[in-house]
């Protein structure tokens, strides 16, 4: 193992910031011949009996996609609805040595092994590279190790410990523990390992292949959605059919760890990436700048669009009427694509994703047990848990005898960095009347005034919201806050505050 990137190099890359997008936009997409992909596998292995041959795809001439999709699971992580299914991606590098990059969820383990056997044929598996230990990518590891007893497991120290914790899988006699900048040659290919803590677990690393320019990016750049045979993002209508699920996937799964994602984007800017091979969703080989720009916005908590979402919580319809009134007033005044959500009906993961997309959020809640309507409170606390920042809020409250929801909602939105407010809170009793209509009209005008800015205010808010960053010199974890507490302990590697350095502005 050669260690080509030292810790200082890592930190220097990490502070390079959002230059990644500009750099990435210059990257061309590598195009590999796809004719006769299955035949290539057939000819290579001389195997025709494994069904896996039919679902394997070439990523390059010697790198194969062997993942699988499924549509049976209702809730990903037992939380997130996935009506379009989900893909668990895994890749094989056939070189002088063979390497398997990540495995799959237990739900598709049968297809995975068919694919693996089809690609490897009679060859041994030399390396299993574990970029991410979460069980949706590691459930097949134990069986891989039994089937391929010669395979070495390449992973971070944290991943090795997790393997043991999850699956009682002791790999101490066959592990190759790697860290930032370590490399592994399989012959023609050399993989460089890049730590990506909290994207989305602490043990995560990514693997960059210098020959193909592929970044095996673990969960980053992934999406909900089954692949339906189409492997590449340019083979589907990604922007119209996939983007909402890609956004929902990122914001709900990784959204809390924006600064860690920014660090990864900064590292991405330092290498020539031609393809992104995530562990879920399509592979990116064209237009990488587009998806990197989305990630830059989401991870910096910059609104993706100057747009308005209205979320209401209503029991008998009064609050719903008020929400629809203000939506109509916005529309009549020229605001397109206003989105309105019943907080009791829309899954909170969809609301989180929309909040990351929209610059302006109007919250309308009835008062419930002298508090916020429970589903609305749950949504707002989830927003806080996902670290949403830099949004403009407007508040509407309803109460049949003692309205209180607006101030209570503001207590939560005040805790989000960079929150601003458009208009005065609107209060009404039970059902909106003519007076309410006028107040909602005034509120709509205030929202439109706020929307009509050139974005400079939002950019300034993003800038001001950026907290001082303290970087763990051992694992790269980032703590944000003006002061690092003396007794602080790194949640990833367990070292104390003395191992953190304050990140200096350039
Ligand atoms: Fe797809 Fe974090 O696992």
């Amino acid at each position: 193992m050669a260690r080509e990137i030292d810790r200082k190099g890592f930190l220097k890359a990490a502070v390079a910031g959002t230059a990644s997008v500009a750099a990435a936009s210059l990257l061309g997409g590598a195009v590999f011949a796809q004719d006769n992909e299955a035949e290539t596998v057939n000819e290579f292995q001389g195997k025709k009996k494994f069904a896996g041959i039919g679902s394997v795809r070439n990523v390059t001439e010697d790198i194969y996609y062997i993942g699988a999709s499924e549509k049976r699971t209702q809730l990903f992580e037992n939380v997130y609805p996935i009506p379009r299914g989900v893909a668990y991606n895994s890749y094989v590098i056939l070189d002088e040595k063979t390497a398997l990059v990540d495995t799959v969820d237990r739900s598709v383990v049968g297809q995975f092994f068919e694919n693996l056997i089809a690609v490897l044929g009679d060859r041994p598996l030399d390396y299993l590279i574990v970029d991410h230990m979460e069980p949706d990518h590691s459930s097949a590891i134990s069986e891989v190790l039994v089937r391929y007893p010669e395979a070495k497991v390449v992973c971070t120290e944290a991943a090795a410990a997790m393997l043991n914790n999850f699956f009682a899988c002791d790999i101490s006699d066959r592990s190759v523990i790697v860290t930032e900048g370590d490399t592994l040659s399989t012959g023609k290919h050399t993989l460089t390992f890049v730590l990506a803590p909290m994207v989305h677990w602490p043990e995560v690393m990514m693997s960059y292949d210098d020959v193909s320019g592929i970044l095996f990016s673990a969960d980053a750049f992934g999406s909900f959605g089954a692949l339906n045979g189409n492997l590449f993002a340019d083979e589907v209508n990604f922007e119209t059919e996939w983007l909402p699920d890609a956004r929902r996937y990122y914001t709900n799964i990784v959204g809390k760890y924006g600064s860690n994602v920014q660090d990864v984007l900064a590292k991405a800017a330092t290498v020539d990436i031609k393809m992104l091979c995530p562990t879920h969703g399509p592979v990116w080989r064209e237009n990488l700048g587009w998806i990197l720009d989305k990630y830059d916005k989401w991870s910096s908590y910059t609104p993706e669009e100057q747009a308005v979402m209205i979320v209401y919580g209503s029991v008998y319809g009064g609050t719903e009427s008020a929400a629809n009134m203000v939506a109509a007033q916005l529309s009549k005044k020229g605001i397109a694509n206003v989105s309105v959500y019943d907080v009791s009906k829309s899954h909170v993961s969809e609301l989180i994703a929309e909040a990351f997309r929209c610059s302006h959020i109007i919250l309308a809640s009835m008062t419930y047990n002298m508090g916020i309507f429970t589903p609305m409170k749950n949504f707002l606390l989830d927003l806080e848990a996902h670290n949403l920042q830099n949004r403009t809020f407007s508040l509407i409250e309803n109460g049949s005898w003692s309205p209180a929801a607006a101030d209570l909602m503001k207590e939560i939105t005040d805790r989000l960095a960079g929150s601003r407010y458009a208009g005065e809170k609107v209060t009404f009793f039970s059902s909106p009347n003519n007076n309410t209509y006028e107040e909602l009209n005034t509120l709509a005008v205030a929202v439109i005034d706020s929307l009509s800015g050139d974005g400079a205010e939002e950019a300034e808010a993003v800038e001001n919201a950026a907290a001082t960053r303290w970087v763990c010199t051992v694992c790269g974890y980032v703590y944000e806050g003006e002061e690092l507490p003396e007794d602080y302990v790194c949640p990833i590697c367990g070292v104390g505050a003395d191992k953190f350095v304050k990140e200096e502005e350039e």
Side-chain angles (χ1 to χ4, degrees), residues 24-54:
S25 67
L26 299 175
L27 298 174
V31 177
F32 295 88
Q34 295 175 69
D35 292 341
N36 305 317
E37 285 180 8
E39 285 71 15
T40 303
V41 177
N42 263 334
E43 287 168 16
F44 189 87
Q45 301 299 346
K47 301 273 186 189
K48 295 182 188 298
K49 62 182 179 182
F50 292 111
I53 289 172

Side-chain angles (χ1 to χ4, degrees), residues 24 77 93 107 114 177 183 237 269 297 332 433-434 464 495:
E77 293 187 358
I93 302 170
S107 59
E114 285 185 0
I177 301 298
T183 60
N237 294 320
K297 284 202 169 75
K332 283 191 282 189
N433 57 23
N434 287 347
N464 291 339
V495 299

Side-chain angles (χ1 to χ4, degrees), residues 76-77 88 132 134 136-137 200-201 219 249 253 279-280:
F76 184 81
E77 293 187 358
Y88 303 99
H132 185 16
E134 191 162 11
D136 57 330
H137 309 294
H200 103 270
W201 275 18
D219 277 345
Y249 169 84
I253 305 260
T279 46
H280 301 284

Side-chain angles (χ1 to χ4, degrees), residues 135-460:
D136 57 330
H137 309 294
S138 63
S139 291
I141 287 179
S142 299
E143 191 171 340
V144 167
L145 298 183
V146 171
R147 289 187 186 224
Y148 299 95
E150 67 287 343
K152 298 281 187 194
V153 182
V154 182
C155 64
T156 61
E157 196 167 358
M162 286 182 175
L163 251 175
N164 210 10
N165 292 343
F166 267 104
F167 304 111
C169 189
D170 181 0
I171 58 167
S172 51
D173 61 343
R174 57 195 298 187
S175 64
V176 179
I177 301 298
V178 294
T179 187
E180 180 76 20
D182 284 351
T183 60
L184 173 73
S185 173
T186 57
K188 187 173 80 171
H189 296 270
T190 298
L191 294 168
T192 302
F193 302 109
V194 181
L195 297 185
M198 303 318 294
V199 186
H200 103 270
W201 275 18
E203 88 299 351
V204 171
M205 67 177 189
M206 300 182 183
S207 306
Y208 174 72
D209 171 29
D210 63 346
V211 172
S212 63
I214 287 177
L215 180 67
F216 296 100
S217 59
D219 277 345
F221 310 110
S223 176
F224 295 134
L227 285 177
N228 300 327
N230 295 124
L231 175 61
F232 298 98
D234 55 274
E235 294 177 331
V236 299
N237 294 320
F238 195 91
E239 188 163 1
T240 54
E241 294 177 17
W242 281 79
L243 179 58
D245 258 351
R247 183 188 299 113
R248 193 164 63 89
Y249 169 84
Y250 170 82
T251 55
N252 285 277
I253 305 260
V254 193
K256 177 181 173 69
Y257 306 107
S259 63
N260 298 85
V261 176
Q262 285 282 305
D263 289 346
V264 167
L265 292 175
K267 292 186 199 182
T270 65
V271 289
D272 183 18
I273 299 173
K274 292 189 173 66
M275 281 201 220
L276 295 166
C277 287
T279 46
H280 301 284
V283 166
W284 288 85
R285 63 181 175 182
E286 293 182 4
N287 211 9
L288 271 64
W290 184 85
I291 188 67
L292 284 164
D293 181 54
K294 294 292 180 197
Y295 262 69
D296 186 40
K297 284 202 169 75
W298 295 335
S299 59
S300 62
Y301 306 103
T302 303
E304 191 180 333
E305 296 177 30
Q306 288 290 104
V308 184
M309 74 179 290
I310 301 170
V311 188
Y312 68 85
S314 184
V315 172
Y316 295 110
T319 312
E320 181 178 12
S321 291
N324 286 329
M325 277 183 188
V326 76
Q329 285 159 339
L330 286 166
S331 182
K332 283 191 282 189
K333 297 177 199 309
I335 304 303
N337 300 316
V338 176
S339 52
V340 181
Y341 296 92
D342 181 337
V343 75
S344 300
K345 293 286 183 63
S346 299
H347 193 269
V348 70
S349 66
E350 185 181 359
L351 301 176
I352 293 289
E354 280 293 85
F356 272 70
R357 181 181 69 85
C358 296
S359 58
H360 289 64
I361 302 170
I362 299 176
L363 302 169
S365 178
M366 47 87 70
T367 302
Y368 198 75
N369 288 333
M370 288 306 294
I372 307 168
F373 185 48
T374 309
M376 178 68 83
K377 183 176 181 181
N378 178 46
F379 164 54
L380 295 176
L381 292 177
D382 217 13
L383 273 187
E384 184 182 20
H386 285 83
N387 207 15
L388 186 76
Q389 302 173 21
N390 310 313
R391 294 303 188 270
T392 301
F393 292 96
S394 301
L395 301 167
I396 301 168
E397 66 182 355
N398 182 7
S400 291
W401 56 90
S402 184
D407 289 346
L408 294 171
M409 289 193 290
K410 188 168 182 294
E411 280 180 15
I412 299 174
T413 53
D414 277 349
R415 298 201 294 263
L416 310 181
S419 286
R420 296 176 302 283
Y421 296 89
E424 301 295 323
K425 75 175 177 185
V426 174
T427 301
F428 64 95
F429 291 83
S430 303
S431 298
N433 57 23
N434 287 347
N435 197 39
T436 315
Y437 181 85
E438 292 305 322
E439 289 186 31
L440 291 174
N441 191 44
T442 303
L443 185 71
V445 170
V447 171
I448 291 168
D449 283 349
S450 172
L451 270 171
S452 62
D454 59 4
E457 192 184 345
E458 285 74 15
E460 188 182 338

